[in-house]
Amino acid sequence: MQLVIVESPAKAKTIEKYLGKDFKVLASYGHVRDLPPKDGSVRPDEDFAMDWELYRDKQSRFKEISDAAKKADRLVLATDPDREGEAISWHVRELLGKRKALPAKVERVTFNAITKNAVTEAMGRPRDLDHDLIDAYLARRALDYLYGFTLSPVLWRRLPGAKSAGRVQSVALRLIVDREREIEAFKPDEYWSVVAKMEQDGTAFDARLVRFDGEKLDKLTLGNEGSAMKAKEAVEQGRFTIQEIETKPLTRNPSPPFTTSTLQQEAARKLGFSASHTMRLAQSLYEAGAITYMRTDGVQMDGSAISACRKAISERYDGHYLPEKPRHYSTKAKNAQEAHEAIRPTNFLQSRAASGDEAKLYDLIFKRAMASQMAPARLERTTGTLLDASGRHELRATGQVVKFPGFFAVYQEGRDDSEDEDDNLLPVMHKGDCPAKTGVEANQHFTQPPPRFSEASLVKRLEELGIGRPSTYASTIQTLRDREYVRMEKNRFFAEESGRLLTAFLERFFERYVAYDFTAGMEDELDEVSGGREEWKALLEQFWRDFKPKTEEVMDRKPSEVTEVLDEYLSDFLFPPREDGKDPRTCPLCEQEGREGGRLALRGGKFGAFVACANYPECKYTRRFAQPGADGDAAEDGIMGKHPETGLEIHRKTGRFGPYVQMGEGKDAKRASIPKDLPDFDLEWAIKLLSLPRIVGEHPETGNEIEANIGRYGPYLRHDGKYAKLQTTQDVFDTGMNAAVTLLAEAANRKGGGRAKAEPIKTLGEHPTSGGEMKVMPGRYGPYVTDGTTNATIPKDMKPEDVTEAQAIELIDARAAKGPPKKKARKKAAPKKKAAAKKAPAKKAAAKKAPAKKKAPAKSKQAAKKDADD
């Protein structure tokens, strides 16, 4: 028997169809072991010795592989054709060797696509494991471990609220924070544009003023309304004729097929997919044999694929759409060993594959690959120059027309934050024509700050800087979101205050290790290792020699010293100049109440950093870290007015967690946070918030009250211990009985509450083995997937609505392989007391009491650490 090892059961199932009966294909389900998450897993003092630990949930899975290997004559390691795939194969071989289950013949095969031809050809061309790629994997894994496990404890002890740091993660976070700083520092400039609305032969077009009173206009020349109105008046009074018509041909060539990075970018732009979702879909398409391997830096296609693509183009379109010679693209990857064929369909005759989001992604991949071999698009750009009688005022109209679509017929690449003024069509015009002027507009504009990063633009920027590798971008971005260092709003990254503080800490104390050039240089060195041109332990030694002393130096500082340094480092952000010219560190509350010495500074607390007054505890003024200056909150603090019923004063205050209102003092004081969706906050709103909770009325079925209120997670309805979410603060006061009953019923249905049957989140196809329809369902303990027989929990990092058919099969099969869930053993009931005549022996036996256990003395920190390491 020949044993073949791959990563996933879906891939195993597909490959087993192509191989003979002599082959048994088993899945490792990804990596089988890793460095234990504790100190000492990598030991620099012992020549960077590394300890590996088999994942607990892979114990039974690997036993199956080990048992099969003992019976096999040949072991074929057929994991993915990249560094991670090489590492999985290495781990499997090492573990089998330790268990003395390694067959006499061990070989490695790789294929770029899971098709019968690719698999059978690969089986005929086996090789040894690539030790250069394995060394590169070991170097990366050790670097990430040493960086994270050495730096994170420093953060926990010296920067309250920080969760972790990572070699690539921290630099990606710095990019987002730096962009936030650029936006905050940006000062908008006013400018105006003057546009004439023209018409020629029934076709309307715009002509922009480009020269006024003999002076060429730049973007900011018309900087105020007065100059703009003068220019508008001149255009209105002038009679403009066509002075010149210039026509230029343009050619646009297609983009190469997708790499990992460009696929993530384009799927984000065109489909709105996150990087992690895109990679999950691509993995499923690859394992189903629909596309080639999805982790690649290469842009070239195999010669046979180019021929197949050109044939498909010639069958779909006439000869003009097919160039005379095939197009060849050169890769920008720095290491050829890690650059494979571009992502493309395995069959160019198959224009559709899969369903749902997988089908959308396949369509994108198919069209991009086909367009890459098509003829260029030919366009014609026309520019018309119009002058008035004096010759001192000039208008310009531009437009373009597609003369031959070429690859546009299949695909056009998306763009980030682009503005194209040349896409308008112009009428046929000749020199001397005098188009009709139907109106003139003077429009006010302001220069805009650089846009916040989207997933697509962040991935693009990381790749441009050479930071990380495209295959890791999805997990890097997900980590930033999981750690709550950033948040997404309208598909843009916003830096959270914890992310800003962490970045400031790293820039101040570990500047070298979050520098873009240092991180990019480290990637170059790792590429040198994978190319066999550098020794991996020498790379680690060079890194550790400087990094370890730096962490020890910071650890020797007191938390208060760290806070003082950050206070000075962030002073421009936290305390920007005041409009009145006074000291920006002056406490507004002390200033208002006439106290001296009220000076603001950064402080560290249990839940993170905040700004506080030096007069504490006499002055209890605080504000959140991410509130530069007063931010409008503290400046508005004070008495808002009196409550119409109680007569008590209502105060507006700013605390560590933001602005709030308070009525009364001491234990009887009533407080309410001011929601962010109330920009025009006044006394009326303060009274409303302090009146909460609001009773909507009695539920028509139960007779119990329905309550509307605002909680930790936003506005909500409550009835009989069940909740329903409201959208806005206004809804808390406006929602009536009918709407409330409906919202509560819908929420109960979504959660499977009451008698209503839970509706599936998503319905998939039939399970290939059980034949049952697979559904993604909401559950009491989280979403799960089921085929009617087996229920499998959906991992936390996977969105239930994103689960694909292949993933559902994999989850159900993995759960079924574990067998039915073990029932918890019930405790036996205590035996009933026997008759009084038979109590004596029992009493005698009970007389012997076990000696009381002495409380063990507390271990020292060093002893506890040693136990953890052991």
Side-chain angles (χ1 to χ4, degrees):
M1 180 192 73
Q2 300 185 59
L3 177 63
V4 181
I5 303 298
V6 295
E7 290 95 340
S8 74
K11 184 175 175 182
K13 200 168 289 185
T14 306
I15 291 172
E16 205 159 38
K17 296 175 187 175
Y18 304 145
L19 302 176
K21 294 180 180 179
D22 187 40
F23 289 87
K24 183 178 181 65
V25 185
L26 292 178
S28 69
Y29 287 79
H31 274 284
V32 294
R33 63 178 188 171
D34 196 8
L35 298 168
K38 63 178 184 179
D39 287 340
S41 294
V42 178
R43 299 184 295 283
D45 295 339
E46 298 176 28
D47 198 26
F48 295 96
M50 302 166 77
D51 292 335
W52 301 97
E53 184 177 79
L54 183 66
Y55 289 123
R56 287 186 180 180
D57 61 345
K58 299 289 177 72
Q59 302 278 356
S60 59
R61 186 74 55 197
F62 198 79
K63 185 178 183 303
E64 182 186 3
I65 292 174
S66 180
D67 291 344
K70 290 175 182 177
K71 302 172 187 175
D73 304 314
R74 178 192 180 207
L75 174 65
V76 180
L77 300 165
T79 49
D80 288 343
D82 62 359
R83 183 185 61 249
E84 291 301 309
E86 208 73 20
I88 292 171
S89 288
W90 175 76
H91 280 303
V92 169
R93 192 191 69 174
E94 291 291 300
L95 272 172
L96 290 176
K98 286 185 177 181
R99 297 189 179 195
K100 298 182 179 178
L102 204 61
K105 196 173 185 181
V106 180
E107 293 176 326
R108 171 86 166 109
V109 301
T110 58
F111 32 82
N112 196 44
I114 304 177
T115 61
K116 188 170 184 178
N117 284 342
V119 172
T120 52
E121 283 180 17
M123 287 295 177
R125 294 183 280 101
R127 62 170 174 81
D128 292 330
L129 283 171
D130 188 327
H131 288 281
D132 290 333
L133 281 184
I134 295 166
D135 287 348
Y137 161 78
L138 293 173
R140 276 180 190 275
R141 192 66 196 89
L143 266 176
D144 292 339
Y145 173 91
L146 291 171
Y147 190 102
F149 269 79
T150 308
L151 185 54
S152 293
V154 178
L155 297 179
W156 303 333
R157 292 172 176 83
R158 296 294 175 266
L159 192 69
K163 296 176 181 177
S164 71
R167 186 176 58 86
V168 177
Q169 160 200 325
S170 299
V171 182
L173 174 61
R174 185 188 167 191
L175 275 173
I176 296 170
V177 171
D178 278 351
R179 180 57 56 89
E180 202 74 33
R181 291 167 178 163
E182 288 179 59
I183 293 169
E184 289 167 353
F186 182 81
K187 303 294 183 187
D189 289 318
E190 179 185 6
Y191 69 97
W192 290 70
S193 63
V194 176
V195 177
K197 301 291 182 180
M198 314 292 282
E199 188 176 306
Q200 171 90 346
D201 296 333
T203 301
F205 65 96
D206 291 346
R208 184 167 48 89
L209 181 66
V210 294
R211 188 180 295 275
F212 172 57
D213 205 18
E215 179 187 355
K216 182 181 177 182
L217 297 182
D218 293 323
K219 185 176 183 178
L220 302 178
T221 303
L222 300 178
N224 54 60
E225 186 176 7
S227 60
M229 290 304 119
K230 286 182 183 178
K232 178 186 176 186
E233 185 181 356
V235 175
E236 286 174 334
Q237 293 177 357
R239 183 175 183 272
F240 288 83
T241 57
I242 302 293
Q243 181 69 24
E244 182 183 5
I245 294 290
E246 183 183 26
T247 301
K248 285 184 178 180
L250 289 175
T251 300
R252 287 192 183 168
N253 289 307
S255 299
F258 284 127
T259 62
T260 302
S261 169
T262 54
L263 176 64
Q264 291 174 6
Q265 293 172 46
E266 197 73 340
R269 294 188 196 107
K270 292 197 168 186
L271 305 176
F273 292 169
S274 67
S276 55
H277 184 46
T278 297
M279 295 312 292
R280 279 198 296 268
L281 297 174
Q283 179 86 35
S284 296
L285 289 170
Y286 167 67
E287 290 173 353
I291 63 170
T292 53
Y293 191 54
M294 67 288 162
R295 292 187 182 91
T296 174
D297 294 323
V299 291
Q300 68 279 5
M301 289 201 300
D302 180 72
S304 61
I306 292 175
S307 300
C309 180
R310 287 173 61 83
K311 183 180 179 183
I313 293 167
S314 64
E315 290 176 356
R316 277 191 174 203
Y317 303 97
D318 64 39
H320 295 94
Y321 286 84
L322 186 68
E324 291 183 11
K325 295 179 180 179
R327 290 183 179 274
H328 294 283
Y329 299 93
S330 58
T331 180
K332 294 179 182 178
K334 297 176 182 178
N335 189 332
Q337 283 193 341
E338 295 194 53
H340 303 288
E341 190 181 358
I343 304 169
R344 62 166 176 82
T346 55
N347 183 359
F348 278 98
L349 298 178
Q350 184 180 352
S351 59
R352 294 181 182 178
S355 60
D357 286 353
E358 285 183 23
K360 293 177 185 177
L361 190 67
Y362 179 83
D363 182 64
L364 203 65
I365 293 168
F366 181 90
K367 288 178 176 177
R368 172 84 166 222
M370 177 170 277
S372 72
Q373 288 299 318
M374 292 180 70
R378 296 198 300 273
L379 300 88
E380 189 175 79
R381 178 173 292 170
T382 302
T383 302
T385 302
L386 298 87
L387 290 176
D388 72 336
S390 69
R392 297 181 62 78
H393 309 313
E394 179 183 326
L395 300 176
R396 183 173 297 160
T398 57
Q400 66 183 28
V401 62
V402 177
K403 305 296 285 185
F404 172 68
F407 74 93
F408 279 1
V410 175
Y411 183 85
Q412 287 193 58
E413 187 174 17
R415 286 173 286 180
D416 292 310
D417 309 302
S418 62
E419 295 180 5
D420 199 335
E421 299 177 354
D422 296 332
D423 290 341
N424 302 316
L425 290 175
L426 293 180
V428 175
M429 296 184 290
H430 303 91
K431 186 175 181 178
D433 286 352
C434 185
K437 184 168 57 191
T438 60
V440 180
E441 294 179 355
N443 299 310
Q444 184 186 36
H445 310 276
F446 291 92
T447 53
Q448 296 298 309
R452 288 182 172 87
F453 285 110
S454 63
E455 280 215 15
S457 58
L458 180 61
V459 166
K460 184 177 181 180
R461 187 63 181 142
L462 286 168
E463 189 176 35
E464 286 172 351
L465 292 171
I467 295 169
R469 278 292 169 261
S471 58
T472 65
Y473 291 157
S475 59
T476 298
I477 290 169
Q478 191 60 47
T479 299
L480 292 177
R481 297 178 70 173
D482 292 344
R483 298 282 187 271
E484 297 180 342
Y485 290 145
V486 300
R487 70 181 188 276
M488 289 290 279
E489 287 185 14
K490 297 180 180 178
N491 294 323
R492 296 284 171 172
F493 285 107
F494 286 72
E496 295 284 19
E497 60 182 76
S498 58
R500 294 190 70 135
L501 187 62
L502 172 61
T503 299
F505 175 84
L506 293 174
E507 285 177 325
R508 179 59 185 83
F509 294 105
F510 295 92
E511 183 180 9
R512 179 187 180 196
Y513 301 99
V514 288
Y516 301 137
D517 55 353
F518 172 81
T519 311
M522 186 66 73
E523 290 297 336
D524 290 338
E525 290 193 65
L526 288 166
D527 284 345
E528 292 295 298
V529 173
S530 62
R533 296 178 292 275
E534 186 170 345
E535 209 277 317
W536 69 281
K537 289 183 180 179
L539 170 62
L540 291 177
E541 174 62 36
Q542 183 183 351
F543 167 79
W544 188 247
R545 187 170 56 244
D546 298 326
F547 185 68
K548 179 61 174 173
K550 187 66 178 174
T551 59
E552 291 172 346
E553 175 194 325
V554 178
M555 191 64 101
D556 287 340
R557 289 176 177 258
K558 295 178 181 178
S560 57
E561 292 176 356
V562 171
T563 306
E564 285 177 16
V565 172
L566 290 177
D567 176 73
E568 183 181 348
Y569 184 74
L570 293 166
S571 61
D572 291 342
F573 166 68
L574 293 173
F575 311 106
R578 287 173 45 161
E579 291 182 4
D580 59 9
K582 293 183 180 179
D583 183 359
R585 286 182 178 265
T586 301
C587 173
L589 197 56
C590 288
E591 186 178 27
Q592 186 178 341
E593 297 178 0
R595 273 192 302 269
E596 293 184 0
R599 185 172 172 78
L600 301 179
L602 187 68
R603 294 284 182 267
K606 183 178 179 182
F607 301 105
F610 62 98
V611 173
C613 179
N615 281 336
Y616 179 86
E618 185 182 357
C619 176
K620 291 184 171 59
Y621 173 85
T622 60
R623 73 165 188 255
R624 290 173 297 162
F625 163 77
Q627 284 182 280
D631 201 25
D633 287 338
E636 296 173 19
D637 286 355
I639 300 172
M640 298 187 71
K642 291 185 178 181
H643 195 284
E645 295 177 9
T646 66
L648 294 173
E649 290 181 340
I650 296 176
H651 294 256
R652 186 191 195 281
K653 299 187 175 185
T654 301
R656 189 183 307 176
F657 302 107
Y660 65 96
V661 288
Q662 176 177 315
M663 181 174 66
E665 295 294 337
K667 293 181 180 179
D668 298 328
K670 189 163 187 181
R671 300 177 181 86
S673 294
I674 301 175
K676 292 181 179 178
D677 62 348
L678 298 178
D680 301 320
F681 188 74
D682 54 17
L683 179 61
E684 184 182 349
W685 268 114
I687 294 168
K688 280 185 174 184
L689 291 175
L690 291 167
S691 71
L692 292 175
R694 166 182 169 251
I695 304 303
V696 180
E698 294 181 354
H699 196 288
E701 294 179 8
T702 66
N704 295 329
E705 290 180 339
I706 298 175
E707 175 188 293
N709 205 348
I710 300 173
R712 183 180 178 185
Y713 301 107
Y716 67 89
L717 292 168
R718 182 171 66 179
H719 166 256
D720 270 1
K722 304 228 170 56
Y723 294 81
K725 186 178 180 182
L726 294 173
Q727 295 301 313
T728 66
T729 302
Q730 187 73 48
D731 291 344
V732 175
F733 302 95
D734 292 349
T735 301
M737 178 59 71
N738 291 338
V741 171
T742 301
L743 287 168
L744 286 162
E746 289 174 351
N749 286 342
R750 283 195 297 273
K751 296 176 182 176
R755 295 183 181 180
K757 187 178 179 182
E759 292 294 323
I761 298 170
K762 188 175 184 179
T763 302
L764 304 163
E766 291 184 358
H767 189 279
T769 306
S770 68
E773 185 180 39
M774 295 185 294
K775 296 178 182 178
V776 178
M777 302 293 293
R780 183 179 178 186
Y781 302 107
Y784 64 94
V785 63
T786 181
D787 62 348
T789 305
T790 304
N791 297 345
T793 303
I794 295 172
K796 289 181 180 179
D797 63 345
M798 189 183 293
K799 292 182 180 178
E801 60 270 19
D802 293 346
V803 174
T804 64
E805 194 169 306
Q807 288 170 332
I809 295 170
E810 184 175 331
L811 289 168
I812 291 170
D813 287 351
R815 182 65 193 84
K818 293 179 181 178
K822 294 179 181 179
K823 294 183 179 179
K824 291 183 179 179
R826 293 184 180 177
K827 291 183 179 179
K828 291 183 179 180
K832 292 181 180 178
K833 292 182 179 180
K834 295 181 180 180
K838 298 180 180 179
K839 281 184 180 177
K843 192 173 182 181
K844 189 177 180 181
K848 291 183 179 180
K849 290 185 178 179
K853 291 183 179 178
K854 291 183 179 179
K855 191 175 181 181
K859 290 183 180 181
S860 66
K861 289 183 179 180
Q862 290 82 358
K865 182 178 182 296
K866 186 178 186 299
D867 287 354
D869 290 348
D870 293 342

